[in-house]
Amino acid sequence: MLRAGAKLTTIGTVLRHRWLDTTAGLMWAAACLEPPDSNRPLMYEPLFGLLATTGMRICEGLALHLEDLTADGLVRQTKFQKSRLLPLHVTTYDAMDRYLSVRGRVGTLNSALFVSATARRLPTIP
């Protein structure tokens, strides 16, 4: 079990711990991604939280737009043009808030929720 405040420097170190079996552990491991001063750790932490707590597929998560995120959760359009609300866990909201504060500094007009440090939408998996 990991101690609170434990300093781990690589994702490989994190993967050797059983704590990673939980969603919180996965989000914590994502927050440890390198380089620490980039938007990468802050972007993958909420992305993994979204996937784990909502059951979304990776392609659905990467296709999200900023306007899909509401105070109540995520509003998704289904393939039959119906909308559905996906509530989010508080840890996912917290991670999303941290990511959005950094995402705003990237300076992009791209409406994609998850963007790279170069302000491009992350590629989707076919």
Side-chain angles (χ1 to χ4, degrees):
M1 187 61 121
L2 294 175
R3 296 185 329 269
K7 174 97 169 127
L8 300 178
T9 57
T10 66
I11 192 73
T13 306
V14 175
L15 291 174
R16 287 191 289 272
H17 291 276
R18 297 173 97 166
W19 190 62
L20 189 61
D21 293 341
T22 66
T23 301
L26 181 61
M27 291 175 67
W28 189 84
C32 294
L33 289 172
E34 299 285 334
D37 58 343
S38 72
N39 74 334
R40 188 174 178 214
L42 293 172
M43 176 183 52
Y44 283 108
E45 183 184 7
L47 176 60
F48 293 159
L50 283 174
L51 299 178
T53 59
T54 64
M56 295 171 67
R57 295 180 202 94
I58 185 68
C59 60
E60 292 175 309
L62 293 175
L64 289 172
H65 294 272
L66 285 171
E67 58 269 10
D68 293 333
L69 187 64
T70 68
D72 296 325
L74 283 173
V75 176
R76 290 292 301 144
Q77 297 296 322
T78 65
K79 58 185 168 187
F80 299 111
Q81 300 307 311
K82 294 181 181 178
S83 61
R84 65 181 175 136
L85 178 66
L86 300 172
L88 301 178
H89 191 270
V90 67
T91 57
T92 305
Y93 266 118
D94 292 344
M96 190 63 71
D97 283 341
R98 288 190 298 277
Y99 167 66
L100 289 175
S101 68
V102 171
R103 187 201 181 280
R105 287 185 250 147
V106 172
T108 180
L109 298 177
N110 194 327
S111 69
L113 181 58
F114 296 105
V115 295
S116 68
T118 58
R120 294 188 180 140
R121 174 188 288 279
L122 294 179
T124 57
I125 300 169

